């Protein structure tokens, strides 16, 4: 199980980024969570097999229709054993 932390910056709040991220994560079998940050970014922790994570991260570089992703910061980490994918407030 691979684990990544992703911080996505740009016009990423108020464009259904979290809901879209959950849909895409579930499509690829990714576990973890997504949440809005006070600085206007979106933070994601994601776990899955290497190929699924690669596809998920690729999606994060553009996000949903009305998003304008300007920067994606990606860090590998230690698997936390998430059992689903949640939207956190």
């Amino acid at each position: 199980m691979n684990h990544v932390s992703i911080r996505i910056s740009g016009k990423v709040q108020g464009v259904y980024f979290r809901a879209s991220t959950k849909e895409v994560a579930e499509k690829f079998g990714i576990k973890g969570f997504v949440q809005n940050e006070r600085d206007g970014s979106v933070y994601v922790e994601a776990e899955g097999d290497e190929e699924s994570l690669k596809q998920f991260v690729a999606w994060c570089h553009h996000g949903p229709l009305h998003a304008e992703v300007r920067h994606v910061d990606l860090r590998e980490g230690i698997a936390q054993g998430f059992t689903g994918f949640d939207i956190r407030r």
Side-chain angles (χ1 to χ4, degrees), residues 3-6 31-34 43-47 80 82 85:
H3 177 100
V4 292
S5 299
I6 311 164
K31 310 295 186 201
F33 68 87
V34 59
Y43 179 73
V44 181
E45 287 202 24
E47 296 180 353
Q80 306 295 308
F82 295 115
F85 196 91

Side-chain angles (χ1 to χ4, degrees), residues 12-60:
V12 294
Q13 290 190 13
V15 293
Y16 299 101
F17 208 104
R18 290 179 302 161
S20 299
T21 301
K22 179 177 173 66
E23 286 178 18
V24 172
E26 290 175 344
K27 173 183 165 187
F28 290 122
I30 301 296
K31 310 295 186 201
F33 68 87
V34 59
Q35 65 188 25
N36 284 341
E37 297 291 292
R38 289 183 182 183
D39 65 2
S41 67
V42 169
Y43 179 73
V44 181
E45 287 202 24
E47 296 180 353
D49 64 66
E50 186 175 352
E51 185 56 35
S52 295
L53 269 181
K54 192 181 297 183
Q55 292 177 310
F56 178 73
V57 169
W59 179 87
C60 288

